[in-house]
Amino acid sequence: FGSRQLRAFQGSRIAAMIPPTTCERAVSWVVFAIFVISSMVFLFRNSAADENFEGKGAAPSRRYRLVTASITIIAAFFYFFMAQGFGIDVVAAGGQKNFWWLRYADWLITTPLLLLDLALIAGMDVWDTFALLVADVLMIAVGYVAGNPAYGYTWQCFGVSMGFFLLTLYIIGEGMLEHADDPNTSEDKERVMKTLLWLTVLIWCTYPLYFVLEYSNMLNNSSTNHRCTLVLLYGLSDVVAKAVFGFILLMNDDLLHVAMPTGVGEQIPMVTYN
């Protein structure tokens, strides 16, 4: 980042924030409420499942419920602030745009947790999981630069981010399908694994689509109606990718206890001291 680009970036940011419209606030509050309710259900299921399956593998399966509940709790936290107008920069770059940077902070935390859920289900080894999470973090980080028009590298960084996006889907897809097709995997577990995988792939593909619609001005960020449409679309995808994903996974208590994979948790070496 040269000094000329840095000065241009600093000059392109507007100190005053344009508050979200009533529609944007309403959508954000609804999504916040959905995540709060989902978190409460997941935590209740966590407690109930431990009682029902005490002594039958409750401890190992608890990882799924805690990770999944963490995803919706963190998402609710970020949507709470976005509903109040925090985390939005107004950028003057080829026209005035609202840049919801807090959305990227949400994704930077929640998407690795979601992928960790899938990696645990698939029994992926430590290094494959590490590569998966690194690719995901790089996808979000480069996507942030692409999404902020003040940097001036929208489409270049979008292309790089899409490369990491495809790599992320390849790693998790290969790991999930390999385990699902294992002869030792039950039919019920195979069905749930493939449902979660394809749900994730299809919903995640909507995010770059929204990006293209926004930055090609098909959905103009400066238009009040279009801004509300974008918030609605992103909110809908977030709810499906996190809350619906969690319900599909956590409503299968028998599956989580009967067919536990030998995955990341078991492959981290224990350090002992004499």
Side-chain angles (χ1 to χ4, degrees), residues 107-109 111-113 115-116 119 124-143 160-161 163-169 171-172 204:
W107 296 336
L108 190 63
I109 301 174
T111 59
L113 289 175
L115 291 172
L116 180 59
M124 293 174 59
D125 65 46
V126 173
W127 294 111
D128 283 345
T129 303
F130 175 75
L132 173 68
L133 300 184
V134 168
D136 176 66
V137 169
L138 289 174
M139 173 188 72
I140 302 298
V142 179
V160 175
S161 182
F164 288 121
F165 173 77
L166 294 175
L167 177 61
T168 300
L169 294 186
I171 295 173
I172 193 61
W204 279 34

Side-chain angles (χ1 to χ4, degrees), residues 1-244:
F1 216 49
S3 59
R4 181 179 301 176
Q5 288 90 341
L6 179 60
R7 287 194 297 271
F9 169 72
Q10 292 171 336
S12 64
R13 297 186 63 183
I14 301 175
M17 182 190 76
I18 296 179
T21 64
T22 302
C23 177
E24 289 174 302
R25 288 182 184 273
V27 171
S28 297
W29 280 120
V30 169
V31 175
F32 163 76
I34 292 173
F35 281 134
V36 169
I37 295 171
S38 300
S39 301
M40 294 174 64
V41 172
F42 296 161
L43 291 173
F44 172 77
R45 294 286 296 182
N46 185 23
S47 176
D50 287 346
E51 293 178 3
N52 294 335
F53 289 90
E54 186 176 359
K56 300 179 183 179
S61 71
R62 188 178 300 137
R63 71 188 68 173
Y64 296 110
R65 299 190 297 276
L66 292 179
V67 171
T68 306
S70 297
I71 293 170
T72 51
I73 290 171
I74 293 169
F77 172 83
F78 281 107
Y79 266 94
F80 173 80
F81 285 102
M82 287 191 285
Q84 299 184 74
F86 294 103
I88 308 172
D89 277 347
V90 181
V91 181
Q96 192 166 290
K97 286 181 174 292
N98 273 15
F99 174 57
W100 294 63
W101 62 265
L102 202 57
R103 185 179 288 144
Y104 289 85
D106 174 4
W107 296 336
L108 190 63
I109 301 174
T110 56
T111 59
L113 289 175
L114 193 149
L115 291 172
L116 180 59
D117 249 347
L118 294 175
L120 288 170
I121 296 169
M124 293 174 59
D125 65 46
V126 173
W127 294 111
D128 283 345
T129 303
F130 175 75
L132 173 68
L133 300 184
V134 168
D136 176 66
V137 169
L138 289 174
M139 173 188 72
I140 302 298
V142 179
Y144 168 84
V145 178
N148 192 336
Y151 287 106
Y153 296 102
T154 297
W155 296 111
Q156 299 94 319
C157 287
F158 174 74
V160 175
S161 182
M162 284 299 297
F164 288 121
F165 173 77
L166 294 175
L167 177 61
T168 300
L169 294 186
Y170 172 77
I171 295 173
I172 193 61
E174 182 182 43
M176 291 282 287
L177 292 176
E178 180 180 356
H179 189 77
D181 294 334
D182 190 303
N184 295 321
T185 301
S186 66
E187 292 184 5
D188 285 341
K189 184 176 182 182
E190 178 184 358
R191 173 182 52 80
V192 174
M193 287 180 63
K194 289 185 176 180
T195 298
L196 291 173
L197 174 62
W198 293 116
L199 174 71
T200 300
V201 170
L202 292 176
I203 291 300
W204 279 34
C205 285
T206 62
Y207 292 97
L209 174 62
Y210 302 155
F211 185 96
V212 171
L213 291 175
E214 178 179 358
Y215 287 89
S216 64
N217 289 324
M218 295 179 68
L219 286 176
N220 194 332
N221 187 279
S222 60
S223 165
T224 300
N225 291 336
H226 286 180
R227 281 169 51 191
C228 185
T229 301
L230 284 167
V231 172
L232 178 62
L233 291 173
Y234 279 117
L236 179 62
S237 289
D238 278 347
V239 166
V240 175
K242 298 165 187 173
V244 174

